Amino acid sequence: MLLPSPDRGPDPHEGRRAAVGILDSGCGEHPWLTTVVRDHPNLVGTPVCPESALVRDPEVHPDQHGPLDGMLDAVSGHGTFIAGVVRQSAPTADVYSWRVVASDGAISESELVAALAHVADLVHANVDDPTAGLRLDVLSLSLGYYHESPEDPAHDAMLRPVLHALAADGVAIVCSAGNESTDRPLFPAAFAAVPSPGAPVLAVGARNPNGTVALFSNTGDWVSCYALGASVVSTSPPFEGGLQPLARIPETVDADGRLRECRETVDPDSYVGGFAVWSGTSFAAPHLAGLLATGLAAAHGELPRHTDTDKASATAAQVAAQLLDR
């Protein structure tokens, strides 16, 4: 770690911090996230999705699929990395992170709907009683699926109403567009192209550090915008996989008796330093989600504890429009 964690700023006097929710593989321990990633009383000890309780935490156990192959699983550390992206683009915000996918990234549509419905219920409870529910301003979703028959009107009968319920309660939803270099609609991101009441639903593709669209990024008229998503640096659990440095000279003692320390190239799957470099629209989405949360905090000063859904939705739409204009 070369730099200190981003400054949280002073605690609010009467209002609250902006809040970003993440449904992903959970969040591991990291110094940047210890005081930022929150537990909600109604969720402590209760998995968002019951199926997620049947697998071990991929932010703690990174090699569950093929445990003898020495390779880290595909999305181990994914949720921690995403939380760190939000931490960087929204330094003053609170983060709520829920585990809904395993270390291979798999989640069924029914599991996703159940998880979103659970969060939507908590958010809706907060509308009438700020002490009873959960206040979210932005929800970041770095997951998705391709529907076999998107032209069938029934294809969105389960997922779309839940997203609309969250948006109607003032929660902006930011979804990753996918990494298959296709214009085929990925859901839930593709719902961004369908007008809905309430706060905006946005689909985010990935840009390279030089500003060009990343070759891996999905695209199409259903993608709302593009944000930095290639060669992103963010937080990681201190995992160490089975890959080895390309070249290594072991510790030796030369002819004069001097100790020569071990020298080696960078270990490609060692994250013991707490940080990693990763690419994907999975990281463009939380980047924009964090910017949106930062914009909401700036627009409100301190965000109110009681939810005026119409005002929250209008402000989210205004801030999102300003970000998209950039």
Side-chain angles (χ1 to χ4, degrees):
M1 184 187 303
L2 298 179
L3 297 173
S5 61
D7 184 12
R8 289 276 281 160
D11 291 331
H13 294 290
E14 298 181 357
R16 60 175 179 82
R17 297 178 183 271
V20 180
I22 301 168
L23 266 64
D24 207 86
S25 59
C27 185
E29 295 185 5
H30 193 281
W32 279 26
L33 306 174
T34 301
T35 61
V36 176
V37 177
R38 307 288 187 178
D39 287 323
H40 190 272
N42 290 350
L43 291 176
V44 173
T46 305
V48 171
C49 189
E51 289 83 351
S52 68
L54 302 179
V55 296
R56 293 192 297 173
D57 187 347
E59 306 303 290
V60 178
H61 305 283
D63 187 8
Q64 300 177 46
H65 296 269
L68 302 181
D69 64 5
M71 302 290 289
L72 300 178
D73 293 342
V75 300
S76 292
H78 198 253
T80 304
F81 195 94
I82 287 171
V85 172
V86 174
R87 181 79 175 89
Q88 294 175 75
S89 56
T92 65
D94 287 334
V95 176
Y96 293 89
S97 177
W98 298 286
R99 176 163 60 99
V100 297
V101 300
S103 57
D104 62 352
I107 180 173
S108 69
E109 183 181 4
S110 61
E111 290 173 333
L112 177 58
V113 171
L116 287 169
H118 185 76
V119 175
D121 288 344
L122 285 176
V123 169
H124 190 69
N126 187 82
V127 173
D128 296 323
D129 183 358
T131 65
L134 169 72
R135 181 67 188 114
L136 284 184
D137 301 290
V138 188
L139 181 63
S140 182
L141 299 175
S142 293
L143 43 78
Y145 62 93
Y146 297 100
H147 202 280
E148 294 178 356
S149 305
E151 68 282 356
D152 182 354
H155 87 276
D156 60 357
M158 294 176 61
L159 183 56
R160 187 176 169 192
V162 182
L163 295 179
H164 282 186
L166 283 161
D169 281 338
V171 180
I173 302 169
V174 185
C175 308
S176 60
N179 306 323
E180 286 73 41
S181 301
T182 181
D183 60 2
R184 181 183 178 187
L186 179 83
F187 295 92
F191 288 132
V194 181
S196 63
V201 179
L202 303 172
V204 188
R207 289 194 183 278
N208 295 311
N210 66 359
T212 60
V213 174
L215 187 62
F216 60 77
S217 178
N218 286 358
T219 188
D221 55 9
W222 52 275
V223 177
S224 309
C225 62
Y226 299 86
L228 179 64
S231 299
V232 177
V233 179
S234 189
T235 51
S236 172
F239 295 153
E240 188 163 14
L243 298 179
Q244 296 296 310
L246 180 64
R248 184 175 188 269
I249 302 174
E251 182 181 281
T252 59
V253 177
D254 64 17
D256 297 326
R258 292 176 299 182
L259 178 67
R260 301 283 188 178
E261 289 190 46
C262 174
R263 296 161 56 86
E264 62 185 25
T265 57
V266 172
D267 188 334
D269 62 355
S270 174
Y271 308 108
V272 295
F275 292 88
V277 180
W278 213 335
S279 296
T281 61
S282 283
F283 317 120
H287 181 196
L288 183 68
L291 293 177
L292 186 52
T294 296
L296 289 172
H300 285 281
E302 288 185 4
L303 282 89
R305 294 187 179 277
H306 187 273
T307 304
D308 180 332
T309 57
D310 290 338
K311 184 176 181 180
S313 297
T315 305
Q318 180 182 13
V319 173
Q322 292 171 349
L323 290 172
L324 267 58
D325 284 343
R326 296 181 189 176

